Amino acid sequence: MRQREAGTETATGYDDSGGRLWRLARQLPAALFALGIVLELATPRDVAISAPFAAAPLAAAAVLSLWGTVLTSVLASSATILFAFFHDTGSTVEAEARSVTNLTVSALAVGVNYVLRRSGSRLASARGVAEAVQLAVLPAPPSHVGDLAVATRYRAAQAETRVGGDFYAAEETPYGVRLLLGDVRGKGLDSVAAVVLLVGVFREAAEQEETLSDVAARLDRALRREGRRQPGTAGLEGFSTAVLVEISAPSGSPAASGSTAPAASGSTAGGGPARGEGSVLRLVNRGHPAPLLLHRGNASPLEPTVPALPLGMSDLGSWPEHIDEFPFPRGAQLLLYTDGLSEARDSDGDFYDPIERLSNSYFAHPEELLETVLIDVAAHTGGRSVDDLALLAVAHDSSTP
Protein backbone atom coordinates (compact mmCIF):
# COMPACT_ATOMS: atom_id res chain seq x y z
CA MET A 1 0.00 0.00 0.00
CA ARG A 2 1.29 3.40 -0.92
CA GLN A 3 1.30 6.05 1.75
CA ARG A 4 2.76 9.52 1.86
CA GLU A 5 6.07 10.09 3.57
CA ALA A 6 5.39 11.00 7.16
CA GLY A 7 8.79 10.83 8.84
CA THR A 8 8.46 9.89 12.47
CA GLU A 9 5.05 11.49 12.91
CA THR A 10 2.43 9.65 14.91
CA ALA A 11 -1.29 9.23 14.31
CA THR A 12 -1.98 12.37 16.31
CA GLY A 13 -0.21 14.39 13.66
CA TYR A 14 2.90 15.25 15.64
CA ASP A 15 6.35 13.72 15.40
CA ASP A 16 8.36 12.27 18.28
CA SER A 17 10.79 15.19 18.58
CA GLY A 18 8.89 16.50 21.62
CA GLY A 19 9.37 13.18 23.40
CA ARG A 20 13.09 13.16 22.67
CA LEU A 21 13.45 16.72 23.96
CA TRP A 22 11.60 15.80 27.15
CA ARG A 23 13.88 12.82 27.75
CA LEU A 24 16.92 15.03 27.25
CA ALA A 25 15.49 17.69 29.59
CA ARG A 26 15.16 15.10 32.37
CA GLN A 27 18.92 14.54 32.16
CA LEU A 28 19.67 18.25 32.68
CA PRO A 29 19.76 18.27 36.54
CA ALA A 30 22.28 15.41 36.62
CA ALA A 31 24.33 17.10 33.88
CA LEU A 32 24.46 20.37 35.83
CA PHE A 33 25.48 18.54 39.00
CA ALA A 34 28.26 16.71 37.15
CA LEU A 35 29.37 19.95 35.49
CA GLY A 36 29.69 21.62 38.89
CA ILE A 37 31.93 18.84 40.19
CA VAL A 38 34.11 18.87 37.07
CA LEU A 39 34.55 22.65 37.20
CA GLU A 40 35.34 22.64 40.90
CA LEU A 41 38.03 20.00 40.45
CA ALA A 42 39.41 21.51 37.22
CA THR A 43 39.78 25.12 38.41
CA PRO A 44 42.20 26.55 40.98
CA ARG A 45 41.10 26.08 44.60
CA ASP A 46 40.81 29.83 45.11
CA VAL A 47 38.10 29.96 42.41
CA ALA A 48 34.68 28.89 43.70
CA ILE A 49 32.16 27.43 41.25
CA SER A 50 28.64 27.25 42.69
CA ALA A 51 26.31 28.28 39.84
CA PRO A 52 25.78 24.74 38.39
CA PHE A 53 24.92 23.43 41.88
CA ALA A 54 22.32 26.19 42.32
CA ALA A 55 20.85 25.62 38.85
CA ALA A 56 20.46 21.84 39.22
CA PRO A 57 17.52 21.97 41.73
CA LEU A 58 15.71 24.58 39.65
CA ALA A 59 16.03 22.40 36.55
CA ALA A 60 14.83 19.40 38.56
CA ALA A 61 11.76 21.33 39.73
CA ALA A 62 10.61 21.68 36.14
CA VAL A 63 11.23 18.17 34.84
CA LEU A 64 11.47 15.70 37.76
CA SER A 65 9.10 14.38 40.40
CA LEU A 66 8.92 15.84 43.91
CA TRP A 67 11.29 13.22 45.32
CA GLY A 68 13.61 13.62 42.35
CA THR A 69 13.75 17.35 43.08
CA VAL A 70 14.40 16.72 46.79
CA LEU A 71 17.22 14.29 45.99
CA THR A 72 18.79 16.74 43.51
CA SER A 73 18.52 19.56 46.06
CA VAL A 74 20.16 17.48 48.79
CA LEU A 75 23.03 16.41 46.53
CA ALA A 76 23.61 19.93 45.18
CA SER A 77 23.53 21.53 48.65
CA SER A 78 25.83 18.85 50.09
CA ALA A 79 28.32 19.28 47.24
CA THR A 80 28.35 23.06 47.72
CA ILE A 81 29.00 22.75 51.45
CA LEU A 82 31.68 20.08 51.05
CA PHE A 83 33.59 22.00 48.37
CA ALA A 84 33.22 25.29 50.26
CA PHE A 85 34.69 24.01 53.53
CA PHE A 86 37.03 21.20 52.47
CA HIS A 87 38.28 22.12 48.98
CA ASP A 88 38.10 25.84 48.24
CA THR A 89 40.56 28.22 49.91
CA GLY A 90 38.26 31.25 50.08
CA SER A 91 37.13 32.90 53.28
CA THR A 92 34.74 31.24 55.68
CA VAL A 93 32.20 34.03 55.19
CA GLU A 94 32.12 33.43 51.44
CA ALA A 95 31.76 29.68 51.95
CA GLU A 96 28.87 30.18 54.35
CA ALA A 97 27.19 32.63 51.95
CA ARG A 98 27.40 30.19 49.04
CA SER A 99 26.04 27.38 51.19
CA VAL A 100 23.10 29.45 52.45
CA THR A 101 22.32 30.62 48.91
CA ASN A 102 22.27 27.07 47.58
CA LEU A 103 20.11 25.82 50.48
CA THR A 104 17.63 28.65 49.84
CA VAL A 105 17.46 27.92 46.11
CA SER A 106 16.99 24.22 46.84
CA ALA A 107 14.09 24.90 49.20
CA LEU A 108 12.46 27.15 46.61
CA ALA A 109 12.92 24.47 43.94
CA VAL A 110 11.13 21.89 46.10
CA GLY A 111 8.26 24.33 46.69
CA VAL A 112 7.97 25.17 43.01
CA ASN A 113 7.94 21.49 42.08
CA TYR A 114 5.17 20.80 44.60
CA VAL A 115 3.01 23.58 43.16
CA LEU A 116 3.65 22.42 39.59
CA ARG A 117 2.76 18.81 40.42
CA ARG A 118 -0.48 19.87 42.13
CA SER A 119 -1.46 21.99 39.13
CA GLY A 120 -0.55 19.18 36.72
CA SER A 121 -2.65 16.71 38.71
CA ARG A 122 -5.67 19.01 38.55
CA LEU A 123 -5.20 19.55 34.83
CA ALA A 124 -4.92 15.81 34.23
CA SER A 125 -8.10 15.28 36.24
CA ALA A 126 -9.93 17.93 34.20
CA ARG A 127 -8.76 16.34 30.96
CA GLY A 128 -9.90 12.94 32.19
CA VAL A 129 -13.36 14.34 32.84
CA ALA A 130 -13.37 15.94 29.39
CA GLU A 131 -12.46 12.61 27.80
CA ALA A 132 -15.26 10.88 29.71
CA VAL A 133 -17.69 13.55 28.52
CA GLN A 134 -16.56 13.07 24.92
CA LEU A 135 -17.02 9.30 25.14
CA ALA A 136 -20.51 9.82 26.53
CA VAL A 137 -21.41 12.46 23.95
CA LEU A 138 -19.68 10.93 20.95
CA PRO A 139 -18.89 7.24 21.49
CA ALA A 140 -16.85 5.69 18.72
CA PRO A 141 -18.86 3.37 16.45
CA PRO A 142 -17.86 -0.30 16.47
CA SER A 143 -15.08 -1.29 14.10
CA HIS A 144 -17.59 -3.35 12.08
CA VAL A 145 -21.17 -2.40 11.29
CA GLY A 146 -22.98 -4.93 9.13
CA ASP A 147 -20.52 -6.08 6.48
CA LEU A 148 -18.62 -2.77 6.65
CA ALA A 149 -15.30 -1.96 8.30
CA VAL A 150 -15.59 1.41 10.04
CA ALA A 151 -12.96 3.85 11.34
CA THR A 152 -13.41 7.24 13.00
CA ARG A 153 -11.15 10.03 14.25
CA TYR A 154 -11.95 13.20 16.15
CA ARG A 155 -9.80 16.23 16.91
CA ALA A 156 -11.28 19.21 18.81
CA ALA A 157 -9.96 22.68 18.02
CA GLN A 158 -9.97 23.50 21.74
CA ALA A 159 -7.50 20.84 22.85
CA GLU A 160 -8.08 21.54 26.53
CA THR A 161 -11.77 20.63 26.21
CA ARG A 162 -11.35 17.68 23.80
CA VAL A 163 -15.02 18.17 22.91
CA GLY A 164 -16.21 20.14 19.91
CA GLY A 165 -19.06 20.66 17.48
CA ASP A 166 -18.33 17.88 15.00
CA PHE A 167 -20.13 14.56 15.32
CA TYR A 168 -20.62 11.18 13.67
CA ALA A 169 -22.66 8.02 14.15
CA ALA A 170 -23.14 4.66 12.45
CA GLU A 171 -26.16 2.38 12.84
CA GLU A 172 -27.14 -0.95 11.35
CA THR A 173 -30.83 -0.78 10.46
CA PRO A 174 -33.41 -2.82 8.50
CA TYR A 175 -32.75 -0.49 5.58
CA GLY A 176 -28.98 -0.93 5.52
CA VAL A 177 -26.11 0.68 7.37
CA ARG A 178 -26.79 4.36 7.96
CA LEU A 179 -24.11 6.93 8.69
CA LEU A 180 -24.22 10.50 9.92
CA LEU A 181 -21.44 13.07 10.02
CA GLY A 182 -21.94 16.77 10.65
CA ASP A 183 -20.74 20.04 12.07
CA VAL A 184 -22.74 22.12 14.52
CA ARG A 185 -22.39 25.90 14.38
CA GLY A 186 -19.63 26.96 16.78
CA LYS A 187 -17.16 24.79 18.65
CA GLY A 188 -16.15 23.79 22.12
CA LEU A 189 -18.53 23.17 25.01
CA ASP A 190 -21.18 25.54 23.63
CA SER A 191 -21.98 23.06 20.86
CA VAL A 192 -22.07 19.89 22.97
CA ALA A 193 -25.82 20.10 23.67
CA ALA A 194 -26.63 20.21 19.94
CA VAL A 195 -24.30 17.27 19.29
CA VAL A 196 -26.00 15.20 21.99
CA LEU A 197 -29.40 16.04 20.52
CA LEU A 198 -28.54 15.24 16.89
CA VAL A 199 -26.71 11.99 17.61
CA GLY A 200 -29.51 10.77 19.88
CA VAL A 201 -32.25 11.63 17.41
CA PHE A 202 -30.33 10.01 14.54
CA ARG A 203 -29.95 6.72 16.37
CA GLU A 204 -33.68 6.52 16.91
CA ALA A 205 -34.74 7.84 13.52
CA ALA A 206 -32.29 5.67 11.58
CA GLU A 207 -33.99 2.58 12.95
CA GLN A 208 -37.55 3.82 12.47
CA GLU A 209 -37.68 5.95 9.32
CA GLU A 210 -37.90 4.27 5.92
CA THR A 211 -35.91 6.83 3.92
CA LEU A 212 -33.00 9.16 4.50
CA SER A 213 -35.35 12.04 3.71
CA ASP A 214 -37.44 11.15 6.73
CA VAL A 215 -34.32 10.81 8.92
CA ALA A 216 -33.11 14.25 7.81
CA ALA A 217 -36.56 15.73 8.50
CA ARG A 218 -36.50 14.33 12.05
CA LEU A 219 -33.09 15.86 12.67
CA ASP A 220 -34.22 19.20 11.27
CA ARG A 221 -37.35 19.32 13.42
CA ALA A 222 -35.42 18.36 16.56
CA LEU A 223 -32.82 21.07 16.00
CA ARG A 224 -35.41 23.76 15.35
CA ARG A 225 -37.46 22.68 18.37
CA GLU A 226 -34.39 22.84 20.60
CA GLY A 227 -33.52 26.25 19.16
CA ARG A 228 -36.91 27.61 20.18
CA ARG A 229 -36.52 26.20 23.69
CA GLN A 230 -33.11 27.77 24.31
CA PRO A 231 -33.29 31.46 25.34
CA GLY A 232 -31.46 33.70 22.91
CA THR A 233 -31.02 30.89 20.39
CA ALA A 234 -33.32 30.88 17.40
CA GLY A 235 -33.38 30.73 13.65
CA LEU A 236 -29.96 30.85 12.05
CA GLU A 237 -28.18 30.62 15.42
CA GLY A 238 -28.83 26.89 15.74
CA PHE A 239 -27.94 25.12 12.49
CA SER A 240 -25.74 22.22 11.53
CA THR A 241 -24.34 20.99 8.26
CA ALA A 242 -24.62 17.24 7.86
CA VAL A 243 -24.36 14.40 5.38
CA LEU A 244 -26.47 11.26 5.80
CA VAL A 245 -25.48 8.02 4.07
CA GLU A 246 -27.30 4.75 3.59
CA ILE A 247 -25.35 1.74 2.34
CA SER A 248 -27.47 -1.13 1.10
CA ALA A 249 -26.53 -4.76 1.57
CA PRO A 250 -24.27 -6.05 -1.23
CA SER A 251 -26.26 -6.89 -4.33
CA GLY A 252 -27.04 -10.60 -4.58
CA SER A 253 -26.52 -11.24 -0.84
CA PRO A 254 -29.24 -12.78 1.33
CA ALA A 255 -29.63 -9.49 3.19
CA ALA A 256 -30.28 -7.68 -0.04
CA SER A 257 -32.82 -10.20 -1.30
CA GLY A 258 -34.71 -10.05 1.98
CA SER A 259 -34.44 -6.30 2.55
CA THR A 260 -37.61 -4.34 3.17
CA ALA A 261 -35.99 -1.01 2.33
CA PRO A 262 -37.90 1.01 -0.25
CA ALA A 263 -36.25 2.24 -3.39
CA ALA A 264 -34.83 5.71 -2.88
CA SER A 265 -35.95 8.55 -5.06
CA GLY A 266 -33.48 10.79 -6.80
CA SER A 267 -30.83 10.66 -9.45
CA THR A 268 -28.47 7.73 -9.92
CA ALA A 269 -24.91 8.72 -10.75
CA GLY A 270 -23.23 6.12 -12.91
CA GLY A 271 -25.87 3.43 -12.28
CA GLY A 272 -26.05 0.83 -9.51
CA PRO A 273 -23.39 -1.76 -8.89
CA ALA A 274 -23.37 -5.05 -10.72
CA ARG A 275 -24.67 -8.09 -8.86
CA GLY A 276 -22.21 -9.38 -6.27
CA GLU A 277 -19.75 -6.53 -6.85
CA GLY A 278 -20.71 -4.05 -4.18
CA SER A 279 -23.47 -1.91 -2.71
CA VAL A 280 -25.44 1.25 -3.35
CA LEU A 281 -24.75 4.52 -1.57
CA ARG A 282 -27.70 6.79 -0.91
CA LEU A 283 -26.80 10.29 0.23
CA VAL A 284 -28.64 13.30 1.62
CA ASN A 285 -26.34 16.31 1.88
CA ARG A 286 -27.45 19.27 4.00
CA GLY A 287 -24.84 21.90 3.20
CA HIS A 288 -21.86 19.71 4.09
CA PRO A 289 -18.57 19.04 2.22
CA ALA A 290 -19.12 16.24 -0.28
CA PRO A 291 -17.87 12.79 0.81
CA LEU A 292 -15.01 11.25 -1.16
CA LEU A 293 -15.18 7.87 -2.87
CA LEU A 294 -11.70 6.36 -3.14
CA HIS A 295 -11.41 3.58 -5.67
CA ARG A 296 -8.53 2.38 -7.84
CA GLY A 297 -6.41 5.44 -7.08
CA ASN A 298 -9.18 7.94 -7.79
CA ALA A 299 -10.67 10.28 -5.19
CA SER A 300 -14.09 11.37 -6.44
CA PRO A 301 -16.33 13.85 -4.58
CA LEU A 302 -19.96 12.72 -4.36
CA GLU A 303 -21.56 16.10 -4.95
CA PRO A 304 -25.30 16.53 -4.34
CA THR A 305 -27.43 16.94 -7.44
CA VAL A 306 -29.63 19.51 -5.66
CA PRO A 307 -27.93 21.71 -3.01
CA ALA A 308 -29.82 21.97 0.29
CA LEU A 309 -29.68 24.19 3.36
CA PRO A 310 -28.17 22.92 6.61
CA LEU A 311 -30.29 21.27 9.28
CA GLY A 312 -32.25 23.73 11.38
CA MET A 313 -32.75 26.25 8.57
CA SER A 314 -35.89 24.86 6.91
CA ASP A 315 -37.88 27.86 8.18
CA LEU A 316 -36.29 29.74 5.30
CA GLY A 317 -38.12 27.56 2.79
CA SER A 318 -39.25 24.02 2.04
CA TRP A 319 -38.27 21.80 -0.85
CA PRO A 320 -38.50 18.09 -1.66
CA GLU A 321 -35.58 16.21 -0.13
CA HIS A 322 -33.33 14.77 -2.83
CA ILE A 323 -31.52 11.46 -2.42
CA ASP A 324 -28.53 10.80 -4.65
CA GLU A 325 -27.39 7.28 -5.44
CA PHE A 326 -23.88 6.12 -6.26
CA PRO A 327 -22.31 2.68 -6.71
CA PHE A 328 -20.09 1.49 -3.86
CA PRO A 329 -17.99 -1.35 -5.32
CA ARG A 330 -15.89 -3.70 -3.25
CA GLY A 331 -12.38 -2.40 -2.82
CA ALA A 332 -13.64 1.19 -2.59
CA GLN A 333 -13.58 3.33 0.55
CA LEU A 334 -15.91 6.17 1.50
CA LEU A 335 -14.47 9.11 3.43
CA LEU A 336 -16.73 11.56 5.27
CA TYR A 337 -15.11 14.62 6.80
CA THR A 338 -15.88 18.03 8.25
CA ASP A 339 -14.51 21.35 7.04
CA GLY A 340 -11.75 21.15 9.62
CA LEU A 341 -10.00 19.05 6.96
CA SER A 342 -10.80 20.94 3.76
CA GLU A 343 -10.21 24.35 5.39
CA ALA A 344 -6.92 23.48 7.09
CA ARG A 345 -4.27 25.95 5.89
CA ASP A 346 -0.54 25.89 5.61
CA SER A 347 1.79 28.77 6.47
CA ASP A 348 1.07 30.37 3.08
CA GLY A 349 -2.69 30.26 3.61
CA ASP A 350 -3.31 27.47 1.08
CA PHE A 351 -6.16 25.10 1.91
CA TYR A 352 -5.67 21.37 2.28
CA ASP A 353 -7.15 19.65 -0.79
CA PRO A 354 -8.19 16.09 0.14
CA ILE A 355 -8.99 15.23 -3.47
CA GLU A 356 -5.50 16.10 -4.67
CA ARG A 357 -3.74 14.66 -1.61
CA LEU A 358 -5.55 11.32 -1.70
CA SER A 359 -5.53 10.71 -5.42
CA ASN A 360 -3.23 7.90 -6.58
CA SER A 361 -3.20 6.49 -3.04
CA TYR A 362 -4.24 3.01 -1.96
CA PHE A 363 -5.26 1.88 1.50
CA ALA A 364 -5.88 -1.61 2.81
CA HIS A 365 -8.29 -0.55 5.55
CA PRO A 366 -10.23 2.55 6.68
CA GLU A 367 -7.94 2.79 9.72
CA GLU A 368 -4.94 3.11 7.41
CA LEU A 369 -6.74 5.79 5.41
CA LEU A 370 -7.51 7.94 8.45
CA GLU A 371 -4.04 7.51 9.95
CA THR A 372 -2.54 8.80 6.71
CA VAL A 373 -4.99 11.70 6.46
CA LEU A 374 -4.24 12.91 9.99
CA ILE A 375 -0.49 12.73 9.45
CA ASP A 376 -0.76 14.47 6.09
CA VAL A 377 -2.96 17.33 7.30
CA ALA A 378 -0.71 17.86 10.34
CA ALA A 379 2.29 18.11 8.01
CA HIS A 380 0.34 20.56 5.83
CA THR A 381 -0.59 22.84 8.75
CA GLY A 382 2.55 22.42 10.82
CA GLY A 383 0.50 20.87 13.63
CA ARG A 384 -1.79 23.90 14.06
CA SER A 385 -5.52 23.32 14.59
CA VAL A 386 -8.08 26.11 14.27
CA ASP A 387 -11.26 24.10 13.77
CA ASP A 388 -12.77 20.83 14.93
CA LEU A 389 -12.06 17.86 12.70
CA ALA A 390 -14.09 14.66 12.40
CA LEU A 391 -13.39 11.81 9.99
CA LEU A 392 -15.40 8.67 9.23
CA ALA A 393 -14.32 6.07 6.71
CA VAL A 394 -16.03 2.84 5.66
CA ALA A 395 -15.28 0.00 3.28
CA HIS A 396 -16.61 -3.48 2.65
CA ASP A 397 -14.96 -5.88 5.07
CA SER A 398 -12.49 -7.89 3.02
CA SER A 399 -13.09 -10.94 5.24
CA THR A 400 -16.72 -11.25 4.09
CA PRO A 401 -17.50 -12.99 0.79
Side-chain angles (χ1 to χ4, degrees):
M1 299 301 158
R2 190 185 74 83
Q3 289 189 351
R4 300 185 181 277
E5 294 294 331
T8 59
E9 290 176 329
T10 66
T12 59
Y14 301 94
D15 60 33
D16 192 42
S17 60
R20 290 195 298 270
L21 288 175
W22 178 252
R23 289 190 291 271
L24 289 174
R26 291 176 62 86
Q27 306 300 319
L28 181 59
L32 288 170
F33 181 77
L35 177 63
I37 293 177
V38 170
L39 291 177
E40 277 282 5
L41 296 176
T43 56
R45 300 181 64 180
D46 60 341
V47 178
I49 305 294
S50 60
F53 295 126
L58 293 176
V63 297
L64 298 182
S65 66
L66 177 61
W67 290 111
T69 303
V70 170
L71 178 61
T72 303
S73 299
V74 170
L75 291 175
S77 298
S78 300
T80 301
I81 294 172
L82 290 174
F83 277 114
F85 289 98
F86 298 102
H87 180 267
D88 298 335
T89 58
S91 66
T92 303
V93 175
E94 291 179 353
E96 292 176 349
R98 289 197 303 273
S99 300
V100 170
T101 299
N102 193 275
L103 287 171
T104 302
V105 171
S106 296
L108 288 174
V110 172
V112 169
N113 181 272
Y114 178 76
V115 172
L116 289 176
R117 297 301 155 189
R118 289 267 308 208
S119 300
S121 177
R122 291 176 179 174
L123 180 59
S125 176
R127 287 182 172 176
V129 171
E131 289 177 347
V133 170
Q134 181 181 348
L135 288 175
V137 171
L138 199 65
S143 59
H144 289 83
V145 180
D147 83 320
L148 299 175
V150 181
T152 58
R153 293 292 187 276
Y154 186 87
R155 297 290 180 269
Q158 298 179 4
E160 68 277 8
T161 64
R162 302 194 181 187
V163 181
D166 293 359
F167 57 92
Y168 45 69
E171 293 291 324
E172 186 175 9
T173 75
Y175 312 101
V177 174
R178 286 177 168 174
L179 311 173
L180 170 69
L181 184 135
D183 183 1
V184 173
R185 174 188 175 271
K187 50 179 168 285
L189 296 176
D190 293 339
S191 60
V192 171
V195 170
V196 173
L197 174 71
L198 289 170
V199 172
V201 171
F202 170 77
R203 286 176 177 161
E204 182 179 3
E207 183 75 20
Q208 298 175 350
E209 302 294 346
E210 291 188 351
T211 69
L212 283 184
S213 299
D214 296 332
V215 177
R218 285 271 293 271
L219 294 172
D220 186 88
R221 289 195 301 270
L223 197 57
R224 288 189 291 117
R225 182 175 61 248
E226 187 67 17
R228 290 191 295 268
R229 290 177 54 190
Q230 297 294 334
T233 302
L236 300 182
E237 295 296 320
F239 69 87
S240 172
T241 66
V243 59
L244 294 90
V245 180
E246 179 181 287
I247 305 176
S248 68
S251 300
S253 69
S257 60
S259 174
T260 60
S265 61
S267 65
T268 300
R275 178 171 295 274
E277 291 186 354
S279 303
V280 174
L281 295 172
R282 297 184 180 94
L283 275 70
V284 168
N285 194 321
R286 299 295 294 268
H288 199 78
L292 291 183
L293 182 66
L294 286 75
H295 186 49
R296 296 179 179 175
N298 296 318
S300 306
L302 305 183
E303 298 285 355
T305 304
V306 179
L309 292 175
L311 299 171
M313 298 179 65
S314 58
D315 287 339
L316 298 180
S318 60
W319 59 91
E321 197 79 65
H322 192 85
I323 302 177
D324 290 295
E325 291 188 4
F326 303 89
F328 188 39
R330 288 191 174 274
Q333 296 196 37
L334 181 68
L335 173 64
L336 283 66
Y337 60 91
T338 57
D339 58 10
L341 178 68
S342 56
E343 295 183 2
R345 303 190 187 206
D346 61 12
S347 57
D348 296 326
D350 295 328
F351 290 111
Y352 182 87
D353 185 353
I355 299 175
E356 176 185 349
R357 308 282 287 205
L358 295 176
S359 293
N360 301 317
S361 297
Y362 303 86
F363 307 97
H365 191 275
E367 289 284 350
E368 182 183 0
L369 167 60
L370 297 193
E371 291 282 333
T372 302
V373 169
L374 285 179
I375 291 172
D376 197 34
V377 73
H380 180 78
T381 63
R384 297 181 302 274
S385 177
V386 297
D387 198 3
D388 301 330
L389 169 62
L391 304 172
L392 189 155
V394 297
H396 288 292
D397 188 353
S398 59
S399 64
T400 59

